[in-house]
């Protein structure tokens, strides 16, 4: 008798415990998404939040809503280096049903994750733009963090932009898309002005964090005043 055992690249990562505490702005964004999702509304959202506003916590609650409905989630991040810290935070909520896909993995490791995704053994896959092609049967949400980053553009054949492919794939799968950034791309922001995307805003920092005081100094005037 033979038994097939798939490699799990995150099984040795630390699992943390704890609840997600949201402020009023974060909760409003989550409630809006959840209300749409429960009503069968699938659309693209731009989560426009300042640095430190807690966009990841909002993603987590949106993902929880989708997984609760027996759908799966792809989370795109701009850099492979961010994978570990991102997955550790997601394991806090979703445990073992989180996996990763990136170019640093061997072909065999990637094959195992594709197979696990096809069999429904994982609910969430995290990775750079290649994770967009995870073969989920019941895809419900694509999250694209730091959506303005140039790394989402493929400069080798076939050339594509992960944002456009994500929106197209979501349309085929009856899934939602959440694009997150503190400095959205011009294309995404303009799409919200045109009504093609919906903008959700986070204008204050999560927890007790406050914005720093910022001063603009004209160095030309300083030089004229002899302040060298």
């Amino acid at each position: 008798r033979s038994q097939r055992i798939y490699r799990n690249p995150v099984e040795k990562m630390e699992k943390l415990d704890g609840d997600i505490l949201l402020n009023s702005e974060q909760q409003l964004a989550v409630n809006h998404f959840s209300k749409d999702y429960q009503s069968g509304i699938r659309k693209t959202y731009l989560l426009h939040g300042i640095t430190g506003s807690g966009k990841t916590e909002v993603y987590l609650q949106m993902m929880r809503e989708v997984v609760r409905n027996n759908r799966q989630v792809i989370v795109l991040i701009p850099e492979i280096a961010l994978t570990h810290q991102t997955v550790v935070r997601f394991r806090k909520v979703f445990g073992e049903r989180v996996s990763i896909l990136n170019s640093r993995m061997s072909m065999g490791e990637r094959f195992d994750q594709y197979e696990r995704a096809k069999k429904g053994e994982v609910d969430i896959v995290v990775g750079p733009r290649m994770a967009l092609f995870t073969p989920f049967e019941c895809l419900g949400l694509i999250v694209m963090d730091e959506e303005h980053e140039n790394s989402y553009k493929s400069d080798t054949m076939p050339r594509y932009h992960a944002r456009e492919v994500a929106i197209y794939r979501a349309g085929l799968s009856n899934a939602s898309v959440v694009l997150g950034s503190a400095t959205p791309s011009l294309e995404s922001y303009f799409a919200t002005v045109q009504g093609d995307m919906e903008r959700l805003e986070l204008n204050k920092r999560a927890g007790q964090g406050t914005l720093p005081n910022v001063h603009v100094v004209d160095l030309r005037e300083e030089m004229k005043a002899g302040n060298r």
Side-chain angles (χ1 to χ4, degrees):
R1 181 185 177 187
S2 63
Q3 181 182 5
R4 190 165 192 171
I5 300 176
Y6 294 110
R7 286 159 284 199
N8 182 357
V10 301
E11 64 183 347
K12 294 183 180 179
M13 285 187 180
E14 179 185 6
K15 182 180 178 182
L16 306 176
D17 295 312
D19 295 325
I20 304 171
L21 300 177
L22 304 181
N23 62 28
S24 58
E25 279 190 337
Q26 291 171 307
Q27 192 64 58
L28 189 64
V30 170
N31 290 347
H32 186 89
F33 173 86
S34 298
K35 183 179 178 181
D36 281 353
Y37 208 86
Q38 292 167 8
S39 301
I41 298 172
R42 305 289 184 263
K43 62 172 75 168
T44 301
Y45 304 85
L46 174 62
L47 184 62
H48 185 187
I50 64 171
T51 302
S53 59
K55 291 186 288 295
T56 301
E57 284 70 27
V58 173
Y59 299 151
L60 283 165
Q61 293 289 37
M62 291 175 170
M63 291 159 60
R64 179 178 276 174
E65 174 67 32
V66 173
V67 172
R68 192 182 295 129
N69 282 273
N70 299 315
R71 304 291 294 274
Q72 296 145 334
V73 183
I74 294 172
V75 180
L76 301 181
I77 54 177
E79 300 177 33
I80 296 176
L82 298 173
T83 302
H84 184 272
Q85 67 186 57
T86 303
V87 172
V88 166
R89 296 180 78 175
F90 288 175
R91 276 171 59 83
K92 177 174 70 173
V93 179
F94 302 103
E96 300 296 327
R97 296 187 66 83
V98 179
S99 189
I100 61 175
L101 268 173
N102 61 57
S103 58
R104 290 182 183 171
M105 299 166 66
S106 70
M107 292 291 285
E109 287 174 321
R110 278 183 266 174
F111 174 80
D112 282 358
Q113 303 325 301
Y114 280 126
E115 287 293 297
R116 294 179 70 211
K118 285 176 65 177
K119 290 173 178 270
E121 294 180 6
V122 294
D123 297 319
I124 297 159
V125 166
V126 181
R129 62 176 186 260
M130 69 173 298
L132 185 55
F133 304 102
T134 302
F136 277 140
E137 294 290 333
C138 298
L139 181 63
L141 174 65
I142 300 174
V143 174
M144 188 171 172
D145 192 31
E146 305 295 347
E147 65 89 26
H148 61 277
E149 288 283 351
N150 285 331
S151 59
Y152 285 122
K153 294 181 181 179
S154 173
D155 55 7
T156 58
M157 293 296 291
R159 292 183 173 89
Y160 66 92
H161 196 302
R163 181 180 60 242
E164 307 306 320
V165 176
I167 293 171
Y168 184 78
R169 184 174 180 193
L172 296 176
S173 305
N174 191 31
S176 295
V177 178
V178 175
L179 310 174
S181 178
T183 54
S185 63
L186 183 62
E187 297 91 337
S188 296
Y189 194 88
F190 184 67
T192 67
V193 175
Q194 293 291 93
D196 297 325
M197 295 183 192
E198 183 166 0
R199 186 165 73 249
L200 305 174
E201 295 190 350
L202 302 176
N203 296 311
K204 59 185 180 182
R205 289 193 163 175
Q208 303 299 315
T210 57
L211 290 171
N213 293 321
V214 177
H215 304 275
V216 178
V217 178
D218 188 339
L219 293 181
R220 293 171 299 182
E221 295 299 321
E222 295 293 317
M223 295 289 282
K224 288 179 182 177
N227 182 12
R228 296 181 178 272

